[in-house]
Each structure stands twice: as C-alpha cells, then as structure tokens.
C-alpha cells in the first residue's frame, strides 16, 4: 500500500525515488494538507506505548508492515484513522520502537500559498501546490522561483553588510514584495509498504 509521508524537518540521508528506506514514523492526525492528500478511515491496530516510568505516552499503530507512533491517544485495539504519516527525527533516539521499511515511489515538494499582510506573510489554509522532484535534498525546498525578492530601498552601500530579522526585512520591503507567493514547507513522499 502507498502511504503518504510528510517530511517537514531536515533530515539525512535523503530519500530518493526507488530507494528502500528504513525509518521510524509518526501518525499525524492533522497534517495541514488538503483533504484529497489525507488518508480517511484507515483501519489499524493500536497498542499502548509506555514511558520509562511505566506511564502510557502514545500508541503504536500497525497496519500490515507499517509501524507508526501516535500521541493523540493511549488506548489499544482497532482504530480508524484520518491523516497521514510524518517523519520525526527524534524517534530514532528511541531504540525499542519498531521500524517501517518501504520503497520511495514518489517525492513532491509541498508549497503553500501566502498572502502579503501588514506585518508578514499570511498562509492560505488548504491552498497547496505539489511539485515532483527526484529526492528530498534540502536545496529543493525553495519557494516559488519566479519570485525574486527585491532588496529594500535605502540598502547599505557596497562593502557593508546589514543583518535583518525576517520581520525587519518584511517591514522595509513590504511594498516591493508580491501580493502572493508560494513558500516550500517540506516534502510529501509516497512510501510503498507491503
């Protein structure tokens, strides 16, 4: 079965098309993706995961050879889930968690549309564009290449450098920025898990 995996955090090694990957995953109940990109009513088996003090902290979700951690609930049994999988670099530190093995069938960059606001960019919920790429290298996480942000007026003279926070940059160049732009947020990977 193909499982969508949202990769929002930088990670190494990168995943490439056709590559076999072994990873620990997290179930995301609300991945902030449009409805057509989210799984609905996926039936899985849940068991309780306990922390080092013996207290329940999450569920282990299992569907076929898929294994994922879900922190929204602690109860065991059969569950029907909405959402998708996500990569969490911190899960690799928990050695006793089982892994999922799958083949990367598709990699897409997730771009969100933003409107220019008074104090910063305002994300449009559910306005997402996907672009196919061959792998998950961080340099592929660029925003819309057709938008080149201009330097603000009153820029420093050549040979000097001025560091601005994102808020300062936005305030100084707001009127020169486009009314809308696409910003890359991460990758959506189709992982084929038997």
């Amino acid at each position: 079965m193909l499982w969508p995996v949202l990769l929002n955090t930088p990670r190494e090694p990168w995943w490439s098309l056709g590559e076999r990957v072994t990873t620990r995953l997290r179930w995301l109940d609300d991945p902030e993706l449009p409805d057509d990109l989210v799984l609905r009513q996926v039936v899985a088996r849940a068991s309780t995961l306990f922390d080092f003090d013996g207290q329940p902290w999450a569920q282990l979700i299992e569907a076929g050879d898929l294994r994922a951690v879900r922190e929204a609930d602690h109860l065991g049994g059969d569950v029907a889930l909405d959402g998708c999988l996500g990569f969490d670099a911190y899960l690799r530190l928990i050695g006793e968690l089982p892994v999922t093995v799958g083949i990367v069938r598709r990699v897409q960059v997730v771009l969100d549309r933003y409107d220019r606001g008074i104090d910063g960019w305002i994300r449009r919920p559910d306005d997402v564009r996907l672009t196919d790429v061959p792998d998950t290298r961080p340099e592929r996480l660029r925003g819309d290449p057709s938008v080149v942000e201009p330097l603000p007026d009153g820029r420093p003279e050549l040979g000097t450098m001025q560091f601005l926070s994102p808020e300062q940059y936005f305030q100084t160049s707001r009127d020169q920025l486009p009314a809308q732009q696409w910003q890359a947020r991460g990758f959506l990977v189709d992982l084929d898990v038997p």
Side-chain angles (χ1 to χ4, degrees):
M1 176 175 177
L2 285 180
W3 294 89
V5 180
L6 189 60
L7 304 174
N8 282 335
T9 57
R11 48 170 307 287
E12 281 189 49
W14 305 294
W15 292 358
S16 300
L17 287 174
E19 179 182 1
R20 181 185 168 141
V21 296
T22 301
T23 187
R24 292 187 175 99
L25 300 169
R26 178 177 306 279
W27 183 264
L28 305 172
D29 289 309
D30 184 14
E32 295 185 5
L33 290 171
D35 285 342
D36 61 329
L37 299 176
V38 177
L39 297 175
R40 296 284 175 212
Q41 297 299 300
V42 174
V43 177
R45 177 88 181 134
S47 56
T48 305
L49 293 173
F50 298 93
D51 65 14
F52 62 93
D53 289 330
Q55 299 299 313
W57 70 276
Q59 290 174 319
L60 177 64
I61 302 298
E62 299 178 88
D65 288 337
L66 174 81
R67 309 284 184 272
V69 172
R70 179 177 181 238
E71 293 187 69
D73 203 342
H74 302 140
L75 300 175
D78 290 334
V79 293
L81 302 170
D82 295 337
C84 75
L85 297 165
F87 174 80
D88 187 335
Y90 297 108
L91 290 179
R92 70 176 164 211
L93 303 175
I94 307 172
E96 58 273 1
L97 285 177
V99 297
T100 294
V101 178
I103 306 292
V104 175
R105 297 296 182 204
R106 186 175 192 181
V107 179
Q108 297 174 299
V109 173
V110 178
L111 296 153
D112 294 312
R113 187 188 304 253
Y114 286 78
D115 292 320
R116 184 182 66 213
I118 295 171
D119 296 324
W121 293 104
I122 301 167
R123 184 174 168 263
R124 284 188 181 181
D126 292 334
D127 201 350
V128 174
R129 183 171 74 186
L130 300 172
T131 304
D132 287 319
V133 292
D135 56 45
T136 62
R137 292 181 187 269
E139 58 265 19
R140 301 202 190 283
L141 291 178
R142 298 185 194 147
D144 188 349
S146 66
V147 176
V148 178
E149 295 186 3
L151 291 173
D153 286 338
R155 59 181 172 243
E157 294 180 24
L158 293 176
T160 64
M161 183 180 290
Q162 180 181 11
F163 290 96
L164 300 173
S165 71
E167 293 81 18
Q168 290 171 320
Y169 175 80
F170 192 88
Q171 287 299 318
T172 59
S173 59
R174 180 186 177 287
D175 295 334
Q176 299 170 10
L177 295 174
Q180 299 174 346
Q181 75 172 4
W182 292 94
Q183 294 180 13
R185 140 163 66 129
F187 298 97
L188 189 63
V189 174
D190 287 341
L191 190 63
D192 190 359
V193 179

